[in-house]
Amino acid sequence: MLLLKTAFKNILGGGMRTWLNVAVLSFTFVIIVWFNGITDGWVQESRQETIAWETGDGQFWMPEYDRYDVFTLPDAHAPIPNGYREGMAKGDLMPVLVVQGTVYPGGGRVMNIQLKGIPAGQTAVKLPTQGLADREEISALVGKRMARSAGLQEGDYVMVRWRDRWGAFDARQIRIAGVFDSKVPAVDTGQLWLDIEDLQQMTGMDGEATYLILSVGTEVPVDSGWVFKSLAYLTADLDEMLAANRIEMVILFIILLSVALLAVFDTQTLSIFRRQKEIGTYVALGMTQKRVATLFTLEGTAYSLLAIVVGAIWGTPVLLWQAKVGMPMPDLIEETGIAIGNVIYPIYTFTAILWTILVIVFSSALISYWPARKITKQNIVLSLKGKIL
């Protein structure tokens, strides 16, 4: 405790040099906490939105279906097994039929799309399918991205072509019943959502589906022949992308922390160089050279402790304000295919803040010990005379 008090007195007596080091370290501390908060906020929002709009708590795929291979779509449909009927009746399972199609939005343009059938009025996902209940004509929902790329608006009619189960082409005008806004591109880009009964009738696939969505909070039913895809599998792409982002974040942290710790290292090296007589005096008064080295190490560590306190003072209101207003994202972010909103709201967790503090303190102690360890090898007699080794 005495060494720690002495260390704080020594660095506080350093004047402007001390406060410059503290300012750099506190800035690094706040930036790391903020960046972690932005990443955690994005992760949580992306996962929640993906579950709410697309995956549910998992999906049952018919064996021939592969969402990454469009060539499987002609065969990716089958009658729904009886084992799933009870879950569908309770609303625990929601069937989705996927058919490859083409849309002609006008102006001589042609767009390849996927026609997806879903029960009108379902509640398993957030798709606003209530507008598909109109039985007078075939209606469809489109996402904001799809509507913008195809130039469609609510109430428009668009020509759609598809193949039925026998391979014959058919076409019909379909009314756009609504345009929904989702942060999940996987339910938006290149897709038209229809009532599943309409799509089954159009394609001759009565009673068939491509996959079933398991509602959030329900139990997985008994296996009835279709392949269950867990939430971990369905969000694997998101997890891999986040893992890559974590690597980039670590590299950024290393750069920031290296710049901040370089100032501490230079300060401690210069301090040991200039305080030769003081080091010799400490030893002459009874301190071992190892304790003197510990004192200088604690001085370097004290910079980080003081920086954390200063960073908490000025950084807390800034971080709380950022958590309230969020960080706006450019409109082009929608074209990246990432599940992300127009604004990211950071989430600051105790674990992330604690790890940041531990890393900064440990790194400061390590970088301070590096020059201080030379004290144990110094000739104390020469140090008392002020001679530099």
Side-chain angles (χ1 to χ4, degrees):
M1 183 60 70
L2 180 61
L3 285 179
L4 187 59
K5 289 182 178 179
T6 304
F8 271 104
K9 288 181 180 180
N10 288 342
I11 68 168
L12 290 176
M16 183 61 68
R17 182 178 66 251
T18 295
W19 293 110
L20 285 175
N21 287 332
V22 169
V24 173
L25 276 172
S26 68
F27 176 78
T28 301
F29 169 63
V30 173
I31 287 295
I32 291 176
V33 172
W34 172 79
F35 205 98
N36 269 323
I38 287 291
T39 303
D40 290 341
W42 170 42
V43 170
Q44 181 170 320
E45 181 183 35
S46 297
R47 189 173 297 277
Q48 290 177 347
E49 290 295 311
T50 300
I51 293 172
W53 282 88
E54 181 189 8
T55 65
D57 258 0
Q59 296 177 357
F60 287 90
W61 292 5
M62 58 93 52
E64 286 76 16
Y65 177 58
D66 183 352
R67 65 175 179 177
Y68 299 110
D69 186 0
V70 295
F71 294 104
T72 64
L73 290 181
D75 299 320
H77 56 87
I80 301 172
N82 292 328
Y84 299 134
R85 297 290 180 179
E86 182 179 354
M88 292 173 55
K90 294 179 180 178
D92 296 342
L93 289 171
M94 182 192 66
V96 177
L97 177 62
V98 184
V99 178
Q100 189 71 17
T102 307
V103 65
Y104 301 86
R109 292 186 299 158
V110 179
M111 297 177 63
N112 291 321
I113 61 168
Q114 289 184 1
L115 300 175
K116 290 190 173 181
I118 188 172
Q122 58 78 38
T123 57
V125 292
K126 291 177 64 176
L127 286 168
T129 55
Q130 293 79 9
L132 301 178
D134 185 4
R135 310 312 304 173
E136 295 182 0
E137 55 184 344
I138 298 177
S139 303
L141 295 174
V142 294
K144 182 177 65 175
R145 298 173 184 82
M146 176 63 186
R148 182 169 57 246
S149 61
L152 299 174
Q153 297 180 359
E154 182 176 348
D156 288 350
Y157 286 85
V158 63
M159 181 62 69
V160 177
R161 189 185 70 166
W162 68 91
R163 279 178 181 245
D164 59 24
R165 66 176 304 127
W166 301 283
F169 283 104
D170 198 354
R172 187 175 300 181
Q173 277 198 334
I174 294 178
R175 183 177 66 89
I176 304 301
V179 178
F180 62 86
D181 186 5
S182 173
K183 300 175 184 178
V184 184
V187 298
D188 182 339
T189 306
Q191 298 177 32
L192 260 66
W193 291 86
L194 293 77
D195 179 28
I196 191 170
E197 294 183 2
D198 288 338
L199 188 57
Q200 288 171 341
Q201 183 180 11
M202 291 161 54
T203 57
M205 302 176 186
D206 294 338
E208 298 187 6
T210 302
Y211 62 89
L212 305 171
I213 299 177
L214 182 65
S215 298
V216 176
T218 58
E219 296 183 358
V220 178
V222 178
D223 182 18
S224 296
W226 284 18
V227 182
F228 178 67
K229 301 295 183 180
S230 66
L231 187 59
Y233 176 86
L234 296 173
T235 58
D237 291 347
L238 178 61
D239 294 335
E240 291 176 3
M241 182 172 55
L242 296 176
N245 184 71
R246 292 288 186 186
I247 295 175
E248 296 175 0
M249 184 174 64
V250 169
I251 295 174
L252 176 62
F253 289 173
I254 291 175
I255 295 174
L256 288 174
L257 202 55
S258 298
V259 172
L261 294 177
L262 180 62
V264 176
F265 177 79
D266 288 344
T267 299
Q268 290 303 95
T269 302
L270 180 62
S271 181
I272 294 171
F273 178 79
R274 297 177 59 184
R275 295 163 63 184
Q276 295 288 311
K277 285 187 176 181
E278 181 182 342
I279 293 171
T281 302
Y282 282 140
V283 176
L285 290 175
M287 291 181 67
T288 65
Q289 288 174 281
K290 287 186 177 181
R291 285 181 63 83
V292 177
T294 302
L295 174 62
F296 277 81
T297 302
L298 288 175
E299 286 184 17
T301 307
Y303 284 116
S304 63
L305 297 175
L306 189 58
I308 290 169
V309 174
V310 173
I313 293 174
W314 72 265
T316 299
V318 174
L319 294 177
L320 292 178
W321 171 80
Q322 180 72 80
K324 181 179 180 180
V325 302
M327 185 179 72
M329 301 300 292
D331 293 337
L332 292 177
I333 199 68
E334 296 182 352
E335 308 302 327
T336 62
I338 302 174
I340 188 172
N342 295 326
V343 179
I344 297 179
Y345 295 93
I347 297 175
Y348 310 113
T349 62
F350 174 78
T351 302
I353 295 175
L354 179 60
W355 272 108
T356 303
I357 292 174
L358 292 177
V359 167
I360 291 178
V361 172
F362 176 78
S363 301
S364 298
L366 184 62
I367 206 70
S368 301
Y369 173 74
W370 193 356
R373 62 191 172 90
K374 294 184 179 181
I375 295 175
T376 61
K377 303 177 182 178
Q378 285 183 318
N379 188 314
I380 301 305
V381 175
L382 294 179
S383 297
L384 284 169
K385 292 180 180 181
K387 296 182 178 181
I388 307 303
L389 299 181

